[in-house]
mmCIF file of all heavy atoms in Angstrom:
data_model
loop_
_atom_site.group_PDB
_atom_site.id
_atom_site.type_symbol
_atom_site.label_atom_id
_atom_site.label_comp_id
_atom_site.label_asym_id
_atom_site.label_seq_id
_atom_site.Cartn_x
_atom_site.Cartn_y
_atom_site.Cartn_z
ATOM 1 N N MET U 140 -25.783 -1.769 -31.632
ATOM 2 C CA MET U 140 -25.346 -1.642 -33.099
ATOM 3 C C MET U 140 -25.413 -3.012 -33.828
ATOM 4 O O MET U 140 -25.150 -4.032 -33.297
ATOM 5 C CB MET U 140 -23.828 -1.361 -32.987
ATOM 6 C CG MET U 140 -23.617 -0.029 -32.249
ATOM 7 S SD MET U 140 -24.117 1.356 -33.240
ATOM 8 C CE MET U 140 -24.606 2.433 -31.992
ATOM 9 N N LEU U 141 -25.745 -2.757 -35.066
ATOM 10 C CA LEU U 141 -25.571 -3.858 -36.054
ATOM 11 C C LEU U 141 -24.222 -3.550 -36.758
ATOM 12 O O LEU U 141 -23.914 -2.480 -36.987
ATOM 13 C CB LEU U 141 -26.730 -3.879 -37.044
ATOM 14 C CG LEU U 141 -28.100 -4.188 -36.506
ATOM 15 C CD1 LEU U 141 -29.229 -3.539 -37.286
ATOM 16 C CD2 LEU U 141 -28.311 -5.729 -36.447
ATOM 17 N N ALA U 142 -23.608 -4.592 -37.286
ATOM 18 C CA ALA U 142 -22.510 -4.407 -38.114
ATOM 19 C C ALA U 142 -23.037 -4.335 -39.513
ATOM 20 O O ALA U 142 -23.794 -5.244 -39.935
ATOM 21 C CB ALA U 142 -21.529 -5.680 -38.112
ATOM 22 N N GLY U 143 -22.603 -3.360 -40.340
ATOM 23 C CA GLY U 143 -23.063 -3.070 -41.544
ATOM 24 C C GLY U 143 -22.314 -3.748 -42.776
ATOM 25 O O GLY U 143 -21.179 -3.526 -42.951
ATOM 26 N N HIS U 144 -23.087 -4.577 -43.502
ATOM 27 C CA HIS U 144 -22.281 -5.336 -44.731
ATOM 28 C C HIS U 144 -21.741 -4.337 -45.659
ATOM 29 O O HIS U 144 -20.624 -4.595 -46.160
ATOM 30 C CB HIS U 144 -23.312 -6.243 -45.337
ATOM 31 C CG HIS U 144 -22.890 -6.916 -46.616
ATOM 32 N ND1 HIS U 144 -23.452 -6.517 -47.804
ATOM 33 C CD2 HIS U 144 -21.973 -7.697 -46.837
ATOM 34 C CE1 HIS U 144 -22.855 -7.250 -48.740
ATOM 35 N NE2 HIS U 144 -21.890 -7.986 -48.120
ATOM 36 N N ASN U 145 -22.369 -3.255 -46.096
ATOM 37 C CA ASN U 145 -21.649 -2.361 -47.042
ATOM 38 C C ASN U 145 -20.433 -1.745 -46.435
ATOM 39 O O ASN U 145 -19.483 -1.716 -47.139
ATOM 40 C CB ASN U 145 -22.631 -1.029 -47.227
ATOM 41 C CG ASN U 145 -23.811 -1.434 -48.009
ATOM 42 O OD1 ASN U 145 -23.733 -2.228 -49.069
ATOM 43 N ND2 ASN U 145 -25.066 -1.040 -47.635
ATOM 44 N N THR U 146 -20.476 -1.476 -45.167
ATOM 45 C CA THR U 146 -19.055 -1.072 -44.603
ATOM 46 C C THR U 146 -18.048 -2.148 -44.679
ATOM 47 O O THR U 146 -16.833 -1.736 -45.053
ATOM 48 C CB THR U 146 -19.418 -0.535 -43.173
ATOM 49 O OG1 THR U 146 -20.411 0.413 -43.074
ATOM 50 C CG2 THR U 146 -18.157 -0.037 -42.345
ATOM 51 N N LEU U 147 -18.331 -3.294 -44.304
ATOM 52 C CA LEU U 147 -17.367 -4.446 -44.273
ATOM 53 C C LEU U 147 -16.936 -4.641 -45.657
ATOM 54 O O LEU U 147 -15.803 -4.910 -45.909
ATOM 55 C CB LEU U 147 -18.089 -5.668 -43.676
ATOM 56 C CG LEU U 147 -18.647 -5.604 -42.344
ATOM 57 C CD1 LEU U 147 -19.272 -7.011 -41.932
ATOM 58 C CD2 LEU U 147 -17.711 -5.207 -41.321
ATOM 59 N N ARG U 148 -17.909 -4.732 -46.650
ATOM 60 C CA ARG U 148 -17.527 -5.032 -47.996
ATOM 61 C C ARG U 148 -16.640 -3.898 -48.538
ATOM 62 O O ARG U 148 -15.521 -4.285 -49.268
ATOM 63 C CB ARG U 148 -18.675 -5.298 -48.810
ATOM 64 C CG ARG U 148 -18.401 -6.136 -50.205
ATOM 65 C CD ARG U 148 -19.611 -6.340 -50.938
ATOM 66 N NE ARG U 148 -19.747 -7.720 -51.619
ATOM 67 C CZ ARG U 148 -19.193 -7.704 -52.939
ATOM 68 N NH1 ARG U 148 -18.810 -6.668 -53.594
ATOM 69 N NH2 ARG U 148 -19.321 -8.921 -53.467
ATOM 70 N N TYR U 149 -16.879 -2.762 -48.351
ATOM 71 C CA TYR U 149 -16.161 -1.571 -48.801
ATOM 72 C C TYR U 149 -14.692 -1.725 -48.254
ATOM 73 O O TYR U 149 -13.711 -1.493 -48.890
ATOM 74 C CB TYR U 149 -16.785 -0.303 -48.560
ATOM 75 C CG TYR U 149 -16.211 0.866 -49.273
ATOM 76 C CD1 TYR U 149 -16.469 1.108 -50.549
ATOM 77 C CD2 TYR U 149 -15.378 1.748 -48.582
ATOM 78 C CE1 TYR U 149 -15.993 2.076 -51.247
ATOM 79 C CE2 TYR U 149 -14.867 2.811 -49.247
ATOM 80 C CZ TYR U 149 -15.180 3.049 -50.593
ATOM 81 O OH TYR U 149 -14.700 4.130 -51.187
ATOM 82 N N ALA U 150 -14.681 -1.942 -46.984
ATOM 83 C CA ALA U 150 -13.407 -2.045 -46.334
ATOM 84 C C ALA U 150 -12.464 -3.279 -46.916
ATOM 85 O O ALA U 150 -11.342 -3.112 -46.985
ATOM 86 C CB ALA U 150 -13.591 -2.092 -44.766
ATOM 87 N N ALA U 151 -13.176 -4.332 -47.126
ATOM 88 C CA ALA U 151 -12.551 -5.551 -47.586
ATOM 89 C C ALA U 151 -12.094 -5.445 -49.094
ATOM 90 O O ALA U 151 -11.095 -5.913 -49.475
ATOM 91 C CB ALA U 151 -13.344 -6.780 -47.434
ATOM 92 N N MET U 152 -13.037 -4.895 -49.900
ATOM 93 C CA MET U 152 -12.641 -4.914 -51.343
ATOM 94 C C MET U 152 -13.192 -3.832 -52.205
ATOM 95 O O MET U 152 -13.334 -3.875 -53.416
ATOM 96 C CB MET U 152 -13.380 -6.267 -51.954
ATOM 97 C CG MET U 152 -14.749 -6.433 -51.593
ATOM 98 S SD MET U 152 -15.426 -8.018 -52.068
ATOM 99 C CE MET U 152 -15.470 -8.056 -53.703
ATOM 100 N N GLY U 153 -13.432 -2.570 -51.579
ATOM 101 C CA GLY U 153 -13.794 -1.516 -52.238
ATOM 102 C C GLY U 153 -15.264 -1.542 -52.965
ATOM 103 O O GLY U 153 -16.048 -2.488 -52.485
ATOM 104 N N ASN U 154 -15.482 -0.980 -53.985
ATOM 105 C CA ASN U 154 -16.794 -1.052 -54.596
ATOM 106 C C ASN U 154 -16.661 -1.994 -55.815
ATOM 107 O O ASN U 154 -17.210 -1.863 -56.937
ATOM 108 C CB ASN U 154 -17.160 0.272 -55.197
ATOM 109 C CG ASN U 154 -18.631 0.421 -55.566
ATOM 110 O OD1 ASN U 154 -19.460 -0.502 -55.192
ATOM 111 N ND2 ASN U 154 -18.992 1.364 -56.320
ATOM 112 N N GLU U 155 -15.825 -3.170 -55.700
ATOM 113 C CA GLU U 155 -15.745 -4.170 -56.790
ATOM 114 C C GLU U 155 -17.079 -4.968 -57.126
ATOM 115 O O GLU U 155 -17.712 -5.335 -56.079
ATOM 116 C CB GLU U 155 -14.692 -5.226 -56.411
ATOM 117 C CG GLU U 155 -13.433 -4.626 -56.181
ATOM 118 C CD GLU U 155 -12.650 -4.358 -57.431
ATOM 119 O OE1 GLU U 155 -13.057 -4.935 -58.551
ATOM 120 O OE2 GLU U 155 -11.861 -3.491 -57.422
ATOM 121 N N GLN U 156 -17.455 -4.973 -58.333
ATOM 122 C CA GLN U 156 -18.583 -5.641 -58.807
ATOM 123 C C GLN U 156 -18.275 -7.132 -59.054
ATOM 124 O O GLN U 156 -18.465 -7.607 -60.249
ATOM 125 C CB GLN U 156 -19.214 -4.952 -59.978
ATOM 126 C CG GLN U 156 -19.406 -3.461 -59.816
ATOM 127 C CD GLN U 156 -20.074 -2.844 -61.058
ATOM 128 O OE1 GLN U 156 -20.805 -3.554 -61.802
ATOM 129 N NE2 GLN U 156 -19.808 -1.558 -61.242
ATOM 130 N N ARG U 157 -17.938 -7.863 -58.012
ATOM 131 C CA ARG U 157 -17.643 -9.336 -58.315
ATOM 132 C C ARG U 157 -17.654 -9.936 -56.962
ATOM 133 O O ARG U 157 -17.786 -9.290 -55.899
ATOM 134 C CB ARG U 157 -16.111 -9.455 -58.779
ATOM 135 C CG ARG U 157 -15.130 -8.842 -57.765
ATOM 136 C CD ARG U 157 -13.743 -9.153 -58.257
ATOM 137 N NE ARG U 157 -12.785 -8.471 -57.417
ATOM 138 C CZ ARG U 157 -12.388 -8.777 -56.132
ATOM 139 N NH1 ARG U 157 -12.980 -9.800 -55.531
ATOM 140 N NH2 ARG U 157 -11.540 -7.975 -55.466
ATOM 141 N N PRO U 158 -17.797 -11.291 -56.943
ATOM 142 C CA PRO U 158 -17.807 -12.032 -55.677
ATOM 143 C C PRO U 158 -16.378 -11.727 -54.997
ATOM 144 O O PRO U 158 -15.409 -11.547 -55.542
ATOM 145 C CB PRO U 158 -17.902 -13.420 -56.059
ATOM 146 C CG PRO U 158 -18.206 -13.613 -57.471
ATOM 147 C CD PRO U 158 -17.863 -12.179 -57.984
ATOM 148 N N PRO U 159 -16.411 -11.752 -53.622
ATOM 149 C CA PRO U 159 -15.235 -11.653 -52.973
ATOM 150 C C PRO U 159 -14.208 -12.832 -53.107
ATOM 151 O O PRO U 159 -14.859 -13.985 -53.300
ATOM 152 C CB PRO U 159 -15.614 -11.604 -51.344
ATOM 153 C CG PRO U 159 -16.999 -12.087 -51.494
ATOM 154 C CD PRO U 159 -17.625 -11.983 -52.706
ATOM 155 N N ALA U 160 -12.929 -12.605 -53.128
ATOM 156 C CA ALA U 160 -11.994 -13.766 -53.125
ATOM 157 C C ALA U 160 -12.019 -14.390 -51.704
ATOM 158 O O ALA U 160 -12.530 -13.756 -50.805
ATOM 159 C CB ALA U 160 -10.679 -13.199 -53.475
ATOM 160 N N ALA U 161 -11.586 -15.578 -51.734
ATOM 161 C CA ALA U 161 -11.655 -16.351 -50.299
ATOM 162 C C ALA U 161 -11.110 -15.562 -49.124
ATOM 163 O O ALA U 161 -11.729 -15.437 -48.071
ATOM 164 C CB ALA U 161 -10.999 -17.681 -50.463
ATOM 165 N N GLU U 162 -10.044 -14.810 -49.387
ATOM 166 C CA GLU U 162 -9.400 -14.060 -48.267
ATOM 167 C C GLU U 162 -10.250 -12.757 -47.868
ATOM 168 O O GLU U 162 -10.266 -12.365 -46.769
ATOM 169 C CB GLU U 162 -7.944 -13.823 -48.382
ATOM 170 C CG GLU U 162 -7.513 -12.775 -49.482
ATOM 171 C CD GLU U 162 -7.372 -13.346 -50.779
ATOM 172 O OE1 GLU U 162 -7.861 -14.409 -51.134
ATOM 173 O OE2 GLU U 162 -6.841 -12.556 -51.661
ATOM 174 N N GLU U 163 -10.938 -12.291 -48.980
ATOM 175 C CA GLU U 163 -11.705 -11.167 -48.638
ATOM 176 C C GLU U 163 -13.006 -11.555 -47.888
ATOM 177 O O GLU U 163 -13.312 -10.868 -46.947
ATOM 178 C CB GLU U 163 -12.167 -10.401 -50.099
ATOM 179 C CG GLU U 163 -10.953 -9.813 -50.688
ATOM 180 C CD GLU U 163 -11.316 -9.362 -52.206
ATOM 181 O OE1 GLU U 163 -12.228 -10.110 -52.712
ATOM 182 O OE2 GLU U 163 -10.586 -8.553 -52.671
ATOM 183 N N GLN U 164 -13.481 -12.653 -48.405
ATOM 184 C CA GLN U 164 -14.714 -13.236 -47.501
ATOM 185 C C GLN U 164 -14.247 -13.439 -46.109
ATOM 186 O O GLN U 164 -15.038 -13.263 -45.105
ATOM 187 C CB GLN U 164 -15.231 -14.396 -48.277
ATOM 188 C CG GLN U 164 -16.451 -15.244 -47.633
ATOM 189 C CD GLN U 164 -17.730 -14.373 -47.888
ATOM 190 O OE1 GLN U 164 -17.900 -13.746 -48.880
ATOM 191 N NE2 GLN U 164 -18.592 -14.537 -46.913
ATOM 192 N N ALA U 165 -13.140 -14.145 -45.908
ATOM 193 C CA ALA U 165 -12.575 -14.431 -44.587
ATOM 194 C C ALA U 165 -12.504 -13.162 -43.703
ATOM 195 O O ALA U 165 -12.695 -13.179 -42.522
ATOM 196 C CB ALA U 165 -11.426 -15.357 -44.717
ATOM 197 N N ARG U 166 -11.930 -12.004 -44.315
ATOM 198 C CA ARG U 166 -11.659 -10.948 -43.616
ATOM 199 C C ARG U 166 -13.139 -10.301 -43.148
ATOM 200 O O ARG U 166 -13.312 -9.967 -42.040
ATOM 201 C CB ARG U 166 -11.059 -9.770 -44.454
ATOM 202 C CG ARG U 166 -9.589 -9.839 -44.503
ATOM 203 C CD ARG U 166 -9.147 -8.761 -45.412
ATOM 204 N NE ARG U 166 -8.935 -7.523 -44.742
ATOM 205 C CZ ARG U 166 -8.758 -6.326 -45.440
ATOM 206 N NH1 ARG U 166 -8.672 -6.391 -46.657
ATOM 207 N NH2 ARG U 166 -8.542 -5.197 -44.732
ATOM 208 N N MET U 167 -14.208 -10.389 -44.005
ATOM 209 C CA MET U 167 -15.378 -9.871 -43.772
ATOM 210 C C MET U 167 -16.067 -10.699 -42.583
ATOM 211 O O MET U 167 -16.542 -10.170 -41.613
ATOM 212 C CB MET U 167 -16.354 -9.780 -44.925
ATOM 213 C CG MET U 167 -16.013 -8.789 -45.916
ATOM 214 S SD MET U 167 -17.463 -8.616 -47.189
ATOM 215 C CE MET U 167 -17.051 -9.858 -48.234
ATOM 216 N N ARG U 168 -15.898 -12.006 -42.744
ATOM 217 C CA ARG U 168 -16.474 -12.894 -41.663
ATOM 218 C C ARG U 168 -15.770 -12.706 -40.317
ATOM 219 O O ARG U 168 -16.384 -12.728 -39.265
ATOM 220 C CB ARG U 168 -16.282 -14.394 -42.128
ATOM 221 C CG ARG U 168 -17.123 -15.312 -41.349
ATOM 222 C CD ARG U 168 -16.854 -16.846 -41.735
ATOM 223 N NE ARG U 168 -16.619 -17.197 -43.044
ATOM 224 C CZ ARG U 168 -15.429 -17.348 -43.440
ATOM 225 N NH1 ARG U 168 -14.285 -17.660 -42.686
ATOM 226 N NH2 ARG U 168 -15.306 -17.732 -44.809
ATOM 227 N N GLY U 169 -14.356 -12.556 -40.341
ATOM 228 C CA GLY U 169 -13.657 -12.146 -39.260
ATOM 229 C C GLY U 169 -14.172 -10.906 -38.559
ATOM 230 O O GLY U 169 -14.304 -10.842 -37.211
ATOM 231 N N TRP U 170 -14.437 -9.757 -39.303
ATOM 232 C CA TRP U 170 -14.954 -8.745 -38.694
ATOM 233 C C TRP U 170 -16.421 -8.892 -38.085
ATOM 234 O O TRP U 170 -16.737 -8.280 -37.066
ATOM 235 C CB TRP U 170 -15.102 -7.549 -39.924
ATOM 236 C CG TRP U 170 -13.701 -6.934 -40.059
ATOM 237 C CD1 TRP U 170 -12.827 -6.587 -39.324
ATOM 238 C CD2 TRP U 170 -13.344 -6.465 -41.407
ATOM 239 N NE1 TRP U 170 -11.694 -6.075 -39.865
ATOM 240 C CE2 TRP U 170 -12.215 -5.793 -41.174
ATOM 241 C CE3 TRP U 170 -13.946 -6.296 -42.741
ATOM 242 C CZ2 TRP U 170 -11.324 -5.202 -42.319
ATOM 243 C CZ3 TRP U 170 -13.336 -5.679 -43.635
ATOM 244 C CH2 TRP U 170 -11.929 -5.190 -43.468
ATOM 245 N N VAL U 171 -17.213 -9.732 -38.563
ATOM 246 C CA VAL U 171 -18.557 -9.919 -38.058
ATOM 247 C C VAL U 171 -18.408 -10.657 -36.744
ATOM 248 O O VAL U 171 -18.989 -10.375 -35.823
ATOM 249 C CB VAL U 171 -19.333 -10.849 -39.179
ATOM 250 C CG1 VAL U 171 -20.738 -11.220 -38.408
ATOM 251 C CG2 VAL U 171 -19.715 -10.024 -40.454
ATOM 252 N N GLU U 172 -17.493 -11.736 -36.907
ATOM 253 C CA GLU U 172 -17.280 -12.494 -35.564
ATOM 254 C C GLU U 172 -16.682 -11.498 -34.444
ATOM 255 O O GLU U 172 -17.202 -11.529 -33.453
ATOM 256 C CB GLU U 172 -16.148 -13.371 -35.901
ATOM 257 C CG GLU U 172 -16.223 -14.824 -35.368
ATOM 258 C CD GLU U 172 -15.155 -15.722 -36.032
ATOM 259 O OE1 GLU U 172 -13.988 -15.678 -35.515
ATOM 260 O OE2 GLU U 172 -15.515 -16.423 -36.982
ATOM 261 N N GLU U 173 -15.865 -10.530 -34.925
ATOM 262 C CA GLU U 173 -15.297 -9.693 -33.863
ATOM 263 C C GLU U 173 -16.338 -8.774 -33.399
ATOM 264 O O GLU U 173 -16.434 -8.448 -32.126
ATOM 265 C CB GLU U 173 -13.990 -8.811 -34.414
ATOM 266 C CG GLU U 173 -13.503 -7.839 -33.583
ATOM 267 C CD GLU U 173 -12.539 -6.953 -34.321
ATOM 268 O OE1 GLU U 173 -13.045 -6.087 -35.053
ATOM 269 O OE2 GLU U 173 -11.321 -7.135 -34.220
ATOM 270 N N ALA U 174 -17.139 -8.154 -34.340
ATOM 271 C CA ALA U 174 -18.289 -7.335 -33.863
ATOM 272 C C ALA U 174 -19.208 -7.985 -32.847
ATOM 273 O O ALA U 174 -19.645 -7.375 -31.849
ATOM 274 C CB ALA U 174 -18.970 -6.728 -34.995
ATOM 275 N N MET U 175 -19.622 -9.294 -33.216
ATOM 276 C CA MET U 175 -20.457 -10.059 -32.310
ATOM 277 C C MET U 175 -19.915 -10.127 -31.002
ATOM 278 O O MET U 175 -20.568 -10.094 -29.992
ATOM 279 C CB MET U 175 -20.912 -11.312 -32.960
ATOM 280 C CG MET U 175 -21.691 -11.253 -34.310
ATOM 281 S SD MET U 175 -23.121 -10.195 -34.323
ATOM 282 C CE MET U 175 -24.198 -11.113 -33.075
ATOM 283 N N ALA U 176 -18.528 -10.473 -30.912
ATOM 284 C CA ALA U 176 -17.885 -10.588 -29.675
ATOM 285 C C ALA U 176 -17.844 -9.377 -28.880
ATOM 286 O O ALA U 176 -17.825 -9.418 -27.576
ATOM 287 C CB ALA U 176 -16.384 -11.230 -29.938
ATOM 288 N N GLN U 177 -17.883 -8.240 -29.566
ATOM 289 C CA GLN U 177 -17.738 -6.940 -28.847
ATOM 290 C C GLN U 177 -19.255 -6.322 -28.577
ATOM 291 O O GLN U 177 -19.212 -5.184 -28.129
ATOM 292 C CB GLN U 177 -16.904 -5.977 -29.819
ATOM 293 C CG GLN U 177 -15.438 -6.414 -29.765
ATOM 294 C CD GLN U 177 -14.591 -5.443 -30.634
ATOM 295 O OE1 GLN U 177 -15.066 -4.624 -31.176
ATOM 296 N NE2 GLN U 177 -13.368 -5.734 -30.581
ATOM 297 N N GLY U 178 -20.317 -7.088 -28.853
ATOM 298 C CA GLY U 178 -21.583 -6.598 -28.385
ATOM 299 C C GLY U 178 -22.515 -6.202 -29.469
ATOM 300 O O GLY U 178 -23.610 -5.545 -29.310
ATOM 301 N N ALA U 179 -22.211 -6.473 -30.798
ATOM 302 C CA ALA U 179 -23.113 -6.119 -31.832
ATOM 303 C C ALA U 179 -24.249 -7.172 -31.737
ATOM 304 O O ALA U 179 -24.115 -8.185 -31.273
ATOM 305 C CB ALA U 179 -22.471 -6.216 -33.256
ATOM 306 N N CYS U 180 -25.447 -6.641 -32.202
ATOM 307 C CA CYS U 180 -26.702 -7.532 -31.980
ATOM 308 C C CYS U 180 -26.963 -8.317 -33.373
ATOM 309 O O CYS U 180 -27.719 -9.133 -33.382
ATOM 310 C CB CYS U 180 -27.869 -6.711 -31.741
ATOM 311 S SG CYS U 180 -28.250 -5.370 -32.837
ATOM 312 N N GLY U 181 -26.121 -8.078 -34.386
ATOM 313 C CA GLY U 181 -26.204 -8.753 -35.691
ATOM 314 C C GLY U 181 -25.616 -8.086 -36.837
ATOM 315 O O GLY U 181 -24.705 -7.118 -36.617
#
Side-chain angles (χ1 to χ4, degrees):
M140 299 292 144
L141 292 153
H144 171 250
N145 288 317
T146 300
L147 304 181
R148 201 179 209 268
Y149 192 76
M152 54 189 289
N154 195 17
E155 297 285 335
Q156 303 179 30
R157 59 168 172 82
E162 73 272 14
E163 291 164 339
Q164 181 77 27
R166 274 179 84 193
M167 289 193 277
R168 197 188 320 111
W170 281 327
V171 174
E172 225 171 77
E173 179 191 75
M175 294 308 296
Q177 295 180 352
C180 54

